[in-house]
Amino acid sequence: MNKTRTAALASLALALPALAACGGDDDGAVTLRYAFWDDNQRPALEAMIAAFNEDHPDIEIELEQNPWDDYWPGLDSRFAAEDAPDVFWNHVSRFPTYADNGVLLPLTDYIEEDGLDPSVYPENLYDSWRFEDDQYGLPKDWDSIALVYRIDALEAAGIDPATVGDLEWNPVDGGTYVEFLQKLTIDANGNNALSPDFDPENVVQYGTAMASSTGQTDWWNYAVQNGCSLQTEPWGDYAIDAPECVEAIQFTADLYNKWGVAVPAESTNQPNGGVPGDYVVAGQAATALDGSWMLSFYRDGLEPGTWAVADNPSGPVGSGTVINGLSNAVYAGTDHPDEAWEFVKFLGSEEAQAIATGMGSVWPGVSSLNQDFADYWAGEGIDVTGFQTAAEGTTIGYPLSMNDAAFGTAALDEFNQVWLGQKDAQEAAEAVVELANAE
Amino acid sequence: MRTLPVAEPRSETETARRAAPRAGRRRNLRTAVEAYGMLAPSLIGFAVFLIAPIVVVVVLSFFDWNLLSDPEFIGLENYRELAGDERALRSIGNTFYYVLLNIPAQTVLALLLALALNAKIKARNTFRVLYVLPWMAMPVALGVIWRWVFDPAYGALNRFLDLFGIDGAAWLTSSAWAMPVIASVNVWQYTGYTMLFFLAGLQAIPAQLYEAADVDGASPVHRFFAITLPLLRPAMLFVLITSVIGSFQVFDTIHVMTAGGPAGSTATLNYQIYLESFTQRNAGYASMLAVILFAIIALITLTQAALFRKRTVYDFS
């Protein structure tokens, strides 16, 4: 049982800024702290840092890792303490608030002085790190969602993997997608969910696993595929109470409760449940609509040749999803802005990102390397074009808003109840919109 | 048998002063300097890490602060906002609910355990260690393990219940079950620790009293209520004050097991402070909630102390 440590932290942050600053090292060497959250990407980061140190032996990089749910509160409190890491992973959902509050170092002048060519990045990806005429980051990567499935589960259910890319769903009868998931939902006696003898109390494998702190790897996919764009416009109000959104939220709830083809929300609800990949790797689920950043997780957890990637199912308006990207940002209060820029410039370079794509880590920010990434995975026997297809068509960008924190908290809180079958989708969506648009 | 107020034994310095007033004053001064010198490190820690943050939190409760830019003075606005904040008001209710689930169960169990382990039974020390072990473990690690145990689909508890054909509940995702489950985990964790204080209290009770009671033919129940319980009063006061304060501040078990959910049903006031400050970036508002929590705890602690004020000591000298 702790002291009111939250309050203590906040106040220490205010009371002790003098203790926070750490000076330069004795021998002229500089240490930069670099914060990130994704454990899957650690090997690639370490390899990029090793390459950076070949040319910059006097800049030492210290990695600081925290899981997603702790990463942001930790970062915020260290902004308050004026002791934030010099360089850190930034996410578009947090970016507007950070830029607006001046905790990010504008990189515009550095980019101009060094004559950096922004056209090596996709234009929309580069521009997503622009705020009021200043650039605050170089694209580190991009990601999208596609259907990851276990080949062995499909074969056992008598489903031809070649048909997986053509699945369709609708909110009325579920379509071929729900039928596909029903065939993959198997009870202890080996009956699937379509069989009259199926025992829903003793399921050993579910058709799909859904879990997300944000919506990105659960209901957003069905929302976009049903024509819901989450906001009235980028930077606009949240609009998830629109009929097409509520219908998709209800469809997600139906996968849990009406058709019973998803790993129960009692297990998957965030922030304490597992991520979809946990259930697929463990054999508790046959498929997941999962992020490209999880590829190395599946590679490390499953035997080669037992899993694959396909296009997302199509909803009433298409097979779109939400794409997103990260950038490396520099803390405005860093003691070493020049060195931090050197490091960020390197991380944004083709040379550095080629290291990450060569390890199959993430889709690169530098467009010319996309093929390298696809080639790496082809070498592993995985066709990853599903993620590229998912980045096109009706796909939308990550919602942009100053109210992301309020939206995120309200959505998780309300929809967790909907997934559990304890709350009506319409009512929950209205509650979220009211809370998120209030500020 | 007489009831007397407690008398402090005369201190050495007091005796010295009486013996040699002149030399003693100098020695006294030196002793005082030495004493304060030795206290200084802990006093500095106390001031910097406890008093200063408390002052800062009180000050911050009058500000609007998003952690990222400069705080802005808004007077009593945060306090006014509390009246219409259902979530925060509900978290205060949740806190009392948790304390009521936690304290009586924990205190009664600890007392029963202490009585059992004060008796001359085999392997008594082994049992004492076993019951204190949960308290020595990391609450976060325990929370993670208990979360597995209570997982509705894959958890050990429901699989065990399944052997008897019982359908276990969705312990941590049901608004009705989540709080009792968390309270029971904390009871399990802290009962052994609480027991230690009762055990120490029991061992301080003079054996003559029980012998005298035996001679008078008192029943075991009568002995418990006439001798044991009244003489455990100091231990009881300490246990109640510290464990009530502790349970008002519960954080780690909730954070790991439910993160305040489902639907805010396990968000205690202390957890609400965390949520407001670090997920909503309302550090000023969270500071106001911390002041409220402080006021509640202070009020309850003072009430407890007042109720236990009458001290009972048996003097045989």
Side-chain angles (χ1 to χ4, degrees), chain B residues 71-116:
Chain B
E72 185 193 335
F73 183 77
I74 52 166
L76 288 169
E77 189 56 37
N78 286 331
Y79 290 86
R80 259 182 241 124
E81 230 177 275
L82 176 63
D85 183 351
E86 277 173 40
R87 260 289 151 86
L89 295 177
R90 196 172 154 210
S91 77
I92 296 175
N94 288 342
T95 311
F96 279 97
Y97 179 45
Y98 170 79
V99 172
L100 285 177
L101 286 173
N102 185 264
I103 296 300
Q106 182 176 309
T107 312
V108 170
L109 279 176
L111 184 55
L112 291 176
L113 267 183
L115 289 171

Short mmCIF file of all heavy atoms in Angstrom, two decimals, chain B residues 71-116:
data_model
loop_
_atom_site.label_atom_id
_atom_site.label_comp_id
_atom_site.label_asym_id
_atom_site.label_seq_id
_atom_site.Cartn_x
_atom_site.Cartn_y
_atom_site.Cartn_z
N PRO B 71 1.66 26.08 -14.47
CA PRO B 71 0.37 26.05 -13.76
C PRO B 71 -0.30 27.43 -13.76
O PRO B 71 0.38 28.45 -13.76
CB PRO B 71 0.76 25.65 -12.32
CG PRO B 71 2.14 25.11 -12.41
CD PRO B 71 2.79 25.77 -13.58
N GLU B 72 -1.63 27.42 -13.76
CA GLU B 72 -2.37 28.69 -13.79
C GLU B 72 -3.27 28.75 -12.56
O GLU B 72 -4.01 27.80 -12.28
CB GLU B 72 -3.21 28.73 -15.07
CG GLU B 72 -3.93 30.03 -15.30
CD GLU B 72 -4.99 29.88 -16.41
OE1 GLU B 72 -4.84 28.98 -17.25
OE2 GLU B 72 -5.96 30.64 -16.38
N PHE B 73 -3.22 29.86 -11.82
CA PHE B 73 -4.00 29.98 -10.59
C PHE B 73 -5.49 30.11 -10.90
O PHE B 73 -5.88 30.96 -11.69
CB PHE B 73 -3.53 31.20 -9.78
CG PHE B 73 -4.24 31.35 -8.47
CD1 PHE B 73 -3.90 30.54 -7.39
CD2 PHE B 73 -5.25 32.28 -8.31
CE1 PHE B 73 -4.55 30.65 -6.18
CE2 PHE B 73 -5.92 32.41 -7.09
CZ PHE B 73 -5.56 31.59 -6.02
N ILE B 74 -6.30 29.26 -10.27
CA ILE B 74 -7.75 29.34 -10.53
C ILE B 74 -8.55 29.39 -9.23
O ILE B 74 -9.75 29.12 -9.23
CB ILE B 74 -8.25 28.17 -11.40
CG1 ILE B 74 -7.81 26.83 -10.81
CG2 ILE B 74 -7.78 28.29 -12.84
CD1 ILE B 74 -8.53 25.65 -11.41
N GLY B 75 -7.88 29.68 -8.13
CA GLY B 75 -8.60 29.80 -6.86
C GLY B 75 -9.27 28.51 -6.44
O GLY B 75 -8.66 27.44 -6.48
N LEU B 76 -10.54 28.58 -6.07
CA LEU B 76 -11.25 27.42 -5.54
C LEU B 76 -11.96 26.60 -6.62
O LEU B 76 -12.74 25.71 -6.31
CB LEU B 76 -12.27 27.89 -4.49
CG LEU B 76 -11.65 28.37 -3.17
CD1 LEU B 76 -12.71 29.04 -2.31
CD2 LEU B 76 -11.01 27.22 -2.41
N GLU B 77 -11.69 26.92 -7.87
CA GLU B 77 -12.39 26.29 -8.98
C GLU B 77 -12.38 24.75 -8.90
O GLU B 77 -13.41 24.10 -9.09
CB GLU B 77 -11.77 26.75 -10.30
CG GLU B 77 -12.51 26.35 -11.55
CD GLU B 77 -13.97 26.80 -11.57
OE1 GLU B 77 -14.23 27.92 -11.07
OE2 GLU B 77 -14.82 26.04 -12.05
N ASN B 78 -11.19 24.16 -8.60
CA ASN B 78 -11.10 22.70 -8.52
C ASN B 78 -12.05 22.15 -7.47
O ASN B 78 -12.70 21.12 -7.67
CB ASN B 78 -9.67 22.27 -8.16
CG ASN B 78 -8.73 22.42 -9.35
OD1 ASN B 78 -9.15 22.31 -10.51
ND2 ASN B 78 -7.46 22.69 -9.07
N TYR B 79 -12.13 22.85 -6.33
CA TYR B 79 -12.99 22.39 -5.24
C TYR B 79 -14.46 22.50 -5.63
O TYR B 79 -15.27 21.65 -5.30
CB TYR B 79 -12.71 23.19 -3.96
CG TYR B 79 -11.35 22.87 -3.37
CD1 TYR B 79 -10.21 23.54 -3.81
CD2 TYR B 79 -11.21 21.89 -2.40
CE1 TYR B 79 -8.97 23.23 -3.29
CE2 TYR B 79 -9.98 21.58 -1.87
CZ TYR B 79 -8.85 22.26 -2.31
OH TYR B 79 -7.63 21.94 -1.80
N ARG B 80 -14.78 23.59 -6.36
CA ARG B 80 -16.17 23.77 -6.81
C ARG B 80 -16.56 22.68 -7.80
O ARG B 80 -17.66 22.15 -7.76
CB ARG B 80 -16.32 25.15 -7.46
CG ARG B 80 -16.96 26.15 -6.52
CD ARG B 80 -17.15 27.49 -7.21
NE ARG B 80 -16.39 28.51 -6.52
CZ ARG B 80 -15.48 29.28 -7.08
NH1 ARG B 80 -15.20 29.16 -8.36
NH2 ARG B 80 -14.84 30.18 -6.37
N GLU B 81 -15.58 22.31 -8.66
CA GLU B 81 -15.86 21.31 -9.68
C GLU B 81 -16.18 19.94 -9.08
O GLU B 81 -16.92 19.16 -9.67
CB GLU B 81 -14.63 21.19 -10.60
CG GLU B 81 -14.97 21.29 -12.08
CD GLU B 81 -13.71 21.23 -12.91
OE1 GLU B 81 -13.06 22.29 -13.10
OE2 GLU B 81 -13.36 20.14 -13.35
N LEU B 82 -15.61 19.68 -7.93
CA LEU B 82 -15.78 18.36 -7.30
C LEU B 82 -17.26 18.03 -7.08
O LEU B 82 -17.68 16.89 -7.26
CB LEU B 82 -15.02 18.31 -5.97
CG LEU B 82 -15.19 17.04 -5.14
CD1 LEU B 82 -14.65 15.83 -5.88
CD2 LEU B 82 -14.47 17.18 -3.80
N ALA B 83 -18.05 19.05 -6.74
CA ALA B 83 -19.46 18.83 -6.44
C ALA B 83 -20.20 18.17 -7.60
O ALA B 83 -21.11 17.37 -7.39
CB ALA B 83 -20.13 20.15 -6.06
N GLY B 84 -19.79 18.50 -8.84
CA GLY B 84 -20.50 17.94 -9.99
C GLY B 84 -19.75 16.78 -10.65
O GLY B 84 -20.13 16.33 -11.73
N ASP B 85 -18.70 16.31 -10.03
CA ASP B 85 -17.88 15.26 -10.63
C ASP B 85 -18.29 13.89 -10.08
O ASP B 85 -17.83 13.44 -9.05
CB ASP B 85 -16.40 15.54 -10.31
CG ASP B 85 -15.47 14.53 -10.98
OD1 ASP B 85 -15.98 13.53 -11.54
OD2 ASP B 85 -14.25 14.75 -10.93
N GLU B 86 -19.20 13.24 -10.84
CA GLU B 86 -19.75 11.96 -10.38
C GLU B 86 -18.65 10.92 -10.14
O GLU B 86 -18.70 10.15 -9.19
CB GLU B 86 -20.72 11.40 -11.41
CG GLU B 86 -22.11 11.99 -11.30
CD GLU B 86 -22.97 11.53 -12.46
OE1 GLU B 86 -22.88 10.35 -12.84
OE2 GLU B 86 -23.72 12.37 -12.98
N ARG B 87 -17.68 10.91 -11.07
CA ARG B 87 -16.61 9.92 -10.98
C ARG B 87 -15.85 10.05 -9.66
O ARG B 87 -15.60 9.06 -8.96
CB ARG B 87 -15.63 10.11 -12.15
CG ARG B 87 -15.85 9.13 -13.26
CD ARG B 87 -15.42 7.76 -12.79
NE ARG B 87 -16.14 6.68 -13.42
CZ ARG B 87 -15.81 6.13 -14.57
NH1 ARG B 87 -14.80 6.61 -15.25
NH2 ARG B 87 -16.48 5.12 -15.04
N ALA B 88 -15.49 11.29 -9.32
CA ALA B 88 -14.69 11.51 -8.12
C ALA B 88 -15.51 11.19 -6.87
O ALA B 88 -15.03 10.55 -5.94
CB ALA B 88 -14.20 12.95 -8.08
N LEU B 89 -16.78 11.64 -6.88
CA LEU B 89 -17.63 11.38 -5.71
C LEU B 89 -17.82 9.88 -5.54
O LEU B 89 -17.79 9.35 -4.42
CB LEU B 89 -18.98 12.08 -5.88
CG LEU B 89 -18.90 13.61 -5.90
CD1 LEU B 89 -20.27 14.22 -6.14
CD2 LEU B 89 -18.31 14.15 -4.59
N ARG B 90 -17.98 9.19 -6.68
CA ARG B 90 -18.15 7.75 -6.60
C ARG B 90 -16.88 7.09 -6.06
O ARG B 90 -16.94 6.11 -5.33
CB ARG B 90 -18.48 7.21 -7.99
CG ARG B 90 -19.04 5.83 -7.89
CD ARG B 90 -19.55 5.31 -9.21
NE ARG B 90 -19.47 3.86 -9.16
CZ ARG B 90 -19.28 3.11 -10.21
NH1 ARG B 90 -19.13 3.67 -11.40
NH2 ARG B 90 -19.23 1.81 -10.10
N SER B 91 -15.71 7.65 -6.43
CA SER B 91 -14.46 7.06 -5.95
C SER B 91 -14.32 7.21 -4.44
O SER B 91 -13.72 6.36 -3.78
CB SER B 91 -13.26 7.68 -6.68
OG SER B 91 -12.97 8.96 -6.15
N ILE B 92 -14.91 8.27 -3.88
CA ILE B 92 -14.90 8.42 -2.42
C ILE B 92 -15.75 7.31 -1.80
O ILE B 92 -15.35 6.65 -0.84
CB ILE B 92 -15.41 9.82 -2.00
CG1 ILE B 92 -14.44 10.90 -2.53
CG2 ILE B 92 -15.55 9.91 -0.48
CD1 ILE B 92 -14.88 12.31 -2.28
N GLY B 93 -16.93 7.08 -2.40
CA GLY B 93 -17.78 5.98 -1.94
C GLY B 93 -17.06 4.64 -2.05
O GLY B 93 -17.09 3.82 -1.13
N ASN B 94 -16.39 4.42 -3.21
CA ASN B 94 -15.63 3.18 -3.42
C ASN B 94 -14.58 2.98 -2.33
O ASN B 94 -14.34 1.87 -1.89
CB ASN B 94 -14.92 3.20 -4.78
CG ASN B 94 -15.88 3.03 -5.93
OD1 ASN B 94 -17.01 2.59 -5.75
ND2 ASN B 94 -15.45 3.41 -7.13
N THR B 95 -13.95 4.10 -1.94
CA THR B 95 -12.89 4.02 -0.93
C THR B 95 -13.45 3.51 0.39
O THR B 95 -12.89 2.61 1.01
CB THR B 95 -12.26 5.41 -0.73
OG1 THR B 95 -11.95 5.95 -2.00
CG2 THR B 95 -10.99 5.31 0.10
N PHE B 96 -14.57 4.09 0.81
CA PHE B 96 -15.18 3.66 2.07
C PHE B 96 -15.62 2.20 1.99
O PHE B 96 -15.47 1.43 2.92
CB PHE B 96 -16.35 4.57 2.46
CG PHE B 96 -15.90 5.85 3.10
CD1 PHE B 96 -15.77 7.02 2.36
CD2 PHE B 96 -15.57 5.87 4.45
CE1 PHE B 96 -15.33 8.19 2.94
CE2 PHE B 96 -15.12 7.05 5.06
CZ PHE B 96 -15.01 8.21 4.29
N TYR B 97 -16.17 1.83 0.84
CA TYR B 97 -16.61 0.46 0.63
C TYR B 97 -15.41 -0.48 0.78
O TYR B 97 -15.47 -1.49 1.49
CB TYR B 97 -17.23 0.34 -0.77
CG TYR B 97 -17.70 -1.05 -1.14
CD1 TYR B 97 -18.42 -1.83 -0.24
CD2 TYR B 97 -17.45 -1.55 -2.41
CE1 TYR B 97 -18.86 -3.10 -0.60
CE2 TYR B 97 -17.89 -2.82 -2.78
CZ TYR B 97 -18.59 -3.59 -1.87
OH TYR B 97 -19.02 -4.84 -2.23
N TYR B 98 -14.31 -0.11 0.16
CA TYR B 98 -13.10 -0.94 0.24
C TYR B 98 -12.62 -1.05 1.70
O TYR B 98 -12.31 -2.14 2.18
CB TYR B 98 -11.99 -0.36 -0.64
CG TYR B 98 -10.66 -1.04 -0.40
CD1 TYR B 98 -10.39 -2.27 -0.97
CD2 TYR B 98 -9.71 -0.47 0.44
CE1 TYR B 98 -9.20 -2.92 -0.72
CE2 TYR B 98 -8.51 -1.11 0.69
CZ TYR B 98 -8.27 -2.34 0.11
OH TYR B 98 -7.09 -2.98 0.36
N VAL B 99 -12.57 0.07 2.40
CA VAL B 99 -12.09 0.07 3.78
C VAL B 99 -12.98 -0.81 4.65
O VAL B 99 -12.50 -1.59 5.47
CB VAL B 99 -12.01 1.52 4.34
CG1 VAL B 99 -11.70 1.51 5.82
CG2 VAL B 99 -10.96 2.31 3.59
N LEU B 100 -14.30 -0.73 4.40
CA LEU B 100 -15.22 -1.55 5.19
C LEU B 100 -15.08 -3.04 4.88
O LEU B 100 -15.27 -3.89 5.76
CB LEU B 100 -16.67 -1.10 4.94
CG LEU B 100 -17.05 0.20 5.63
CD1 LEU B 100 -18.47 0.61 5.26
CD2 LEU B 100 -16.93 0.06 7.16
N LEU B 101 -14.76 -3.36 3.65
CA LEU B 101 -14.54 -4.77 3.30
C LEU B 101 -13.24 -5.26 3.90
O LEU B 101 -13.10 -6.40 4.31
CB LEU B 101 -14.46 -4.93 1.78
CG LEU B 101 -15.75 -4.84 0.98
CD1 LEU B 101 -15.44 -4.85 -0.51
CD2 LEU B 101 -16.66 -6.01 1.31
N ASN B 102 -12.25 -4.36 3.93
CA ASN B 102 -10.88 -4.72 4.26
C ASN B 102 -10.62 -4.80 5.76
O ASN B 102 -10.15 -5.83 6.27
CB ASN B 102 -9.96 -3.70 3.58
CG ASN B 102 -8.51 -4.04 3.76
OD1 ASN B 102 -7.88 -3.51 4.67
ND2 ASN B 102 -7.98 -4.92 2.95
N ILE B 103 -10.93 -3.73 6.48
CA ILE B 103 -10.45 -3.60 7.87
C ILE B 103 -11.07 -4.61 8.85
O ILE B 103 -10.33 -5.30 9.55
CB ILE B 103 -10.65 -2.14 8.37
CG1 ILE B 103 -9.78 -1.21 7.53
CG2 ILE B 103 -10.32 -2.01 9.84
CD1 ILE B 103 -8.30 -1.52 7.58
N PRO B 104 -12.42 -4.73 8.89
CA PRO B 104 -12.97 -5.68 9.88
C PRO B 104 -12.45 -7.10 9.64
O PRO B 104 -12.00 -7.77 10.56
CB PRO B 104 -14.48 -5.60 9.65
CG PRO B 104 -14.70 -4.29 8.99
CD PRO B 104 -13.48 -4.04 8.16
N ALA B 105 -12.47 -7.54 8.38
CA ALA B 105 -12.03 -8.90 8.07
C ALA B 105 -10.56 -9.08 8.46
O ALA B 105 -10.19 -10.06 9.13
CB ALA B 105 -12.21 -9.17 6.58
N GLN B 106 -9.75 -8.13 8.05
CA GLN B 106 -8.32 -8.23 8.31
C GLN B 106 -8.02 -8.23 9.82
O GLN B 106 -7.23 -9.03 10.30
CB GLN B 106 -7.62 -7.06 7.62
CG GLN B 106 -6.13 -7.04 7.76
CD GLN B 106 -5.55 -5.89 6.95
OE1 GLN B 106 -5.85 -5.74 5.77
NE2 GLN B 106 -4.76 -5.07 7.57
N THR B 107 -8.70 -7.37 10.56
CA THR B 107 -8.41 -7.23 11.99
C THR B 107 -8.87 -8.46 12.76
O THR B 107 -8.12 -9.00 13.58
CB THR B 107 -9.12 -5.98 12.55
OG1 THR B 107 -8.85 -4.89 11.66
CG2 THR B 107 -8.62 -5.62 13.92
N VAL B 108 -10.07 -8.94 12.46
CA VAL B 108 -10.59 -10.11 13.18
C VAL B 108 -9.74 -11.34 12.86
O VAL B 108 -9.33 -12.08 13.75
CB VAL B 108 -12.08 -10.36 12.82
CG1 VAL B 108 -12.54 -11.69 13.36
CG2 VAL B 108 -12.93 -9.22 13.37
N LEU B 109 -9.43 -11.53 11.57
CA LEU B 109 -8.61 -12.68 11.19
C LEU B 109 -7.24 -12.62 11.86
O LEU B 109 -6.72 -13.62 12.35
CB LEU B 109 -8.44 -12.73 9.67
CG LEU B 109 -9.59 -13.33 8.89
CD1 LEU B 109 -9.33 -13.22 7.39
CD2 LEU B 109 -9.76 -14.80 9.28
N ALA B 110 -6.64 -11.43 11.86
CA ALA B 110 -5.31 -11.28 12.44
C ALA B 110 -5.34 -11.59 13.93
O ALA B 110 -4.45 -12.25 14.47
CB ALA B 110 -4.79 -9.86 12.20
N LEU B 111 -6.41 -11.17 14.60
CA LEU B 111 -6.53 -11.41 16.04
C LEU B 111 -6.69 -12.91 16.30
O LEU B 111 -6.03 -13.47 17.19
CB LEU B 111 -7.73 -10.62 16.59
CG LEU B 111 -7.95 -10.68 18.09
CD1 LEU B 111 -6.69 -10.24 18.84
CD2 LEU B 111 -9.11 -9.78 18.49
N LEU B 112 -7.54 -13.57 15.51
CA LEU B 112 -7.74 -15.01 15.68
C LEU B 112 -6.43 -15.76 15.44
O LEU B 112 -6.06 -16.66 16.19
CB LEU B 112 -8.82 -15.51 14.72
CG LEU B 112 -10.24 -15.03 15.04
CD1 LEU B 112 -11.21 -15.51 13.97
CD2 LEU B 112 -10.67 -15.54 16.41
N LEU B 113 -5.72 -15.35 14.38
CA LEU B 113 -4.44 -15.99 14.08
C LEU B 113 -3.46 -15.80 15.23
O LEU B 113 -2.75 -16.74 15.61
CB LEU B 113 -3.84 -15.37 12.81
CG LEU B 113 -4.15 -16.03 11.48
CD1 LEU B 113 -3.41 -15.29 10.38
CD2 LEU B 113 -3.72 -17.49 11.51
N ALA B 114 -3.42 -14.58 15.76
CA ALA B 114 -2.48 -14.29 16.84
C ALA B 114 -2.80 -15.15 18.05
O ALA B 114 -1.90 -15.70 18.70
CB ALA B 114 -2.55 -12.80 17.19
N LEU B 115 -4.10 -15.31 18.35
CA LEU B 115 -4.49 -16.15 19.48
C LEU B 115 -4.05 -17.60 19.25
O LEU B 115 -3.51 -18.25 20.13
CB LEU B 115 -6.01 -16.08 19.69
CG LEU B 115 -6.54 -14.75 20.23
CD1 LEU B 115 -8.06 -14.73 20.16
CD2 LEU B 115 -6.06 -14.52 21.66
N ALA B 116 -4.27 -18.06 18.02
CA ALA B 116 -3.90 -19.44 17.70
C ALA B 116 -2.39 -19.63 17.79
O ALA B 116 -1.92 -20.63 18.34
CB ALA B 116 -4.40 -19.79 16.31
#
